[in-house]
Amino acid sequence: MNSRLNHSFYRRDVLEVAPQLLGKTLVRRFPDGNSLRVTITEVEAYKGTDDLGCHASRGMTQRNRVMFDNGGLVYVYLIYGMYWMLNVVTSTHSEPQAVLIRGVTGAEGPGKLTRLLKIDGSFYGEDLVESNRIWIEDNGIKADYITTPRIGIDYAGPYWSKVPWRFVLKSQS
DNA sequence: GGGACGATTGAA
DNA sequence: TCAATCGTCCCA
């Protein structure tokens, strides 16, 4: 039986939460009552003010302030003027962290999955534990995964751009 | 107020 | 290799 992930799941360190999101079911419920259910296949961790790849590294701004809130909230932002990025806030207000959802079944790539799921700026700060239009369910699957450096953050320097904080679900065989 | 740029994508 | 496209952030 699937069950919605609760606050205690999200309010842990991002390096624990990120890989555990792999294989979980992301549910998007639309106004017409229909739902789209996809499996999370690829994520990245962004951790705190020291991580030069993390938006929080330059302090709190109007855009990233939700990362400084408690885990379980949605952080979305527009990139390149055309793609919404979907993130899940983790930890507590003491530590700004988030998981970028980079891939789901049916859409490879963070910009494509938000198009598929019709996620935009109106989801900023949405509570995944309470929302009736987006949440994540545990389906009991224990996922195998590989790690690699995060994508598209060369500007973060030789150390932070190479930290293996991208987690990719291993394909079943 | 102005300018550079981005956790991307798809086409040339 | 390069354009699309615009909000955010930094500097003046």
Side-chain angles (χ1 to χ4, degrees):
Chain A
M1 189 65 179
N2 286 6
S3 60
R4 182 189 291 227
L5 296 175
N6 57 31
H7 282 129
S8 63
F9 177 89
Y10 297 109
R11 291 176 184 174
R12 296 176 296 148
D13 190 89
V14 68
L15 295 180
E16 289 183 48
V17 176
Q20 289 182 24
L21 283 173
L22 294 172
K24 299 238 171 353
T25 305
L26 175 60
V27 184
R28 171 79 169 92
R29 189 175 185 82
F30 298 101
D32 65 7
N34 290 322
S35 294
L36 202 47
R37 305 174 61 85
V38 296
T39 299
I40 298 173
T41 59
E42 179 182 346
V43 299
E44 285 178 355
Y46 289 86
K47 181 178 162 72
T49 52
D50 293 337
D51 176 3
L52 294 182
C54 181
H55 288 166
S57 66
R58 279 173 292 187
M60 185 164 62
T61 67
Q62 190 62 25
R63 178 179 68 162
N64 70 19
R65 65 191 156 78
V66 73
M67 287 182 78
F68 292 76
D69 208 322
N70 285 318
L73 302 182
V74 170
Y75 170 36
V76 289
Y77 64 90
L78 188 66
I79 191 70
Y80 297 111
M82 57 185 106
Y83 300 109
W84 292 100
M85 300 287 101
L86 172 63
N87 297 255
V88 175
V89 176
T90 66
S91 189
T92 66
H93 61 82
S94 61
E95 172 80 353
Q97 306 180 340
V99 179
L100 169 66
I101 309 298
R102 282 196 68 88
V104 299
T105 48
E108 294 187 345
K112 291 202 252 185
L113 76 88
T114 51
R115 263 194 329 206
L116 174 72
L117 298 174
K118 294 183 165 55
I119 291 166
D120 59 21
S122 73
F123 284 77
Y124 189 92
E126 191 93 356
D127 188 343
L128 291 166
V129 178
E130 302 292 338
S131 175
N132 61 6
R133 56 180 186 156
I134 186 172
W135 64 89
I136 303 174
E137 294 178 0
D138 189 359
N139 48 28
I141 293 175
K142 187 160 194 261
D144 280 339
Y145 61 87
I146 59 145
T147 64
T148 83
R150 295 170 294 179
I151 305 295
I153 56 163
D154 289 347
Y155 62 82
Y159 178 78
W160 293 105
S161 68
K162 293 293 194 286
V163 170
W165 289 354
R166 173 172 173 252
F167 305 89
V168 184
L169 189 66
K170 264 190 196 168
S171 50
Q172 314 282 350
S173 61

